């Protein structure tokens, strides 16, 4: 289960960086497309931290950071490879993926701040409450870290836009993330239950084998 959670975490990170250059609107509100993906990463690290411990969650965060850097390097290489004569979309390819570097830089900085804050708050509350009140540490750690993430990410990724738009995007995106954090609480309980069951069956099988 841990392998799948780590794979999901890293996959969502890379995907959010790629699609983050697109803005979409809901009524009068403007949001980056990454918001529909990145918000789930906090749920994943909370589940990993709850079942496998703080150090494992921190390793997942570090792995995600390194993976994003590697992805940026390979995207840069891909953009600068000489285009074949039959490939007529080099300009579009460069515009879309090249435009994501500012987004990726914003993501890296906000990622380090918010994900480490999430793990820290989550385990401070876990140390206080033990295995009780998962809903509290899941929501409080996520809501706090996502406020940091949203502010840092939007400010850097879309620097140059009018501040009225940037502040509006921060408020709108955080409101969306806040709502998702509340909604995903039952999912957190379900994933934790599944992971603990799988971890228990694995450890029991290892004991029987030995």
């Amino acid at each position: 289960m841990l392998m799948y959670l780590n794979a999901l975490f890293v996959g969502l990170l890379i995907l959010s960086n790629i699609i983050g250059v697109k803005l979409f609107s809901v009524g009068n509100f403007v949001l980056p497309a990454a918001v529909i993906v990145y918000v789930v990463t906090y749920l994943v690290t909370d589940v990993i931290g709850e079942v496998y411990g703080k150090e494992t969650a921190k390793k997942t965060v570090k792995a995600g950071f390194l993976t994003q850097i590697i992805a940026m390097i390979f995207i840069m290489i891909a953009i600068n490879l000489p285009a074949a004569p039959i490939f007529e979309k080099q300009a579009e390819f460069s515009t879309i993926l090249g435009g994501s570097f500012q987004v990726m830089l914003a993501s890296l900085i906000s990622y380090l701040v918010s994900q480490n804050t999430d793990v820290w708050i989550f385990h401070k509350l876990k140390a206080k409450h033990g295995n009780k009140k998962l809903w509290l540490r899941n929501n409080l750690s996520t809501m706090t870290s996502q406020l940091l993430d949203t502010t840092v990410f939007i400010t850097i990724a879309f620097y140059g836009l009018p501040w009225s738009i940037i502040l509006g995007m921060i408020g709108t995106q955080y409101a969306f993330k806040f709502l998702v954090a509340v909604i995903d609480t039952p999912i957190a309980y379900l994933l934790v239950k599944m992971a603990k069951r799988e971890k228990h069956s694995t450890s029991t099988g290892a004991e029987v084998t030995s």
Side-chain angles (χ1 to χ4, degrees):
M1 185 70 173
L2 178 59
M3 179 180 69
Y4 295 109
L5 289 171
N6 281 326
L8 177 63
F9 180 81
V10 171
L12 291 176
L13 279 180
I14 300 304
L15 180 60
S16 66
N17 285 335
I18 293 173
I19 68 175
V21 294
K22 178 176 179 177
L23 300 177
F24 71 98
S25 59
V26 179
N28 294 324
F29 301 109
V30 178
L31 292 164
V35 72
I36 63 176
V37 176
Y38 189 66
V39 66
V40 183
T41 62
Y42 294 94
L43 169 63
V44 176
T45 50
D46 285 353
V47 172
I48 290 174
E50 178 70 16
V51 180
Y52 303 99
K54 181 179 180 180
E55 290 306 313
T56 303
K58 288 171 67 175
K59 287 180 180 178
T60 298
V61 171
K62 290 178 182 177
F65 180 75
L66 291 174
T67 303
Q68 289 182 89
I69 292 177
I70 292 170
M72 290 178 67
I73 293 172
F74 277 106
I75 287 175
M76 183 182 298
I77 292 172
I79 289 174
N80 288 282
L81 287 173
I86 60 173
F87 183 65
E88 301 176 351
K89 302 295 182 181
Q90 177 63 27
E92 291 85 346
F93 184 82
S94 300
T95 299
I96 296 299
L97 292 183
S100 69
F101 280 112
Q102 184 174 347
V103 173
M104 285 188 173
L105 177 62
S107 178
L108 287 175
I109 296 174
S110 62
Y111 174 86
L112 286 176
V113 174
S114 63
Q115 292 286 357
N116 283 294
T117 299
D118 181 67
V119 172
W120 182 78
I121 293 176
F122 186 91
H123 287 279
K124 274 289 185 180
L125 293 173
K126 187 172 176 61
K128 181 178 181 179
H129 300 125
N131 291 327
K132 299 178 181 179
K133 298 184 179 180
L134 171 60
W135 63 270
L136 178 62
R137 54 184 172 274
N138 170 242
N139 282 289
L140 190 57
S141 64
T142 298
M143 290 173 181
T144 304
S145 58
Q146 285 186 347
L147 179 58
L148 290 173
D149 175 76
T150 303
T151 302
V152 174
F153 176 78
I154 294 295
T155 301
I156 297 176
F158 299 100
Y159 182 78
L161 292 178
W163 279 104
S164 59
I165 294 178
I166 290 178
L167 292 175
M169 289 173 64
I170 290 174
T172 303
Q173 185 175 154
Y174 182 66
F176 177 85
K177 290 180 176 180
F178 187 94
L179 179 61
V180 172
V182 174
I183 294 174
D184 74 14
T185 301
I187 301 175
Y189 274 91
L190 175 62
L191 290 176
V192 165
K193 183 177 180 179
M194 291 172 60
K196 284 184 175 180
R197 182 184 302 165
E198 188 268 347
K199 183 182 178 183
H200 176 72
S201 62
T202 300
S203 60
T204 302
E207 291 174 3
V208 172
T209 302
S210 61

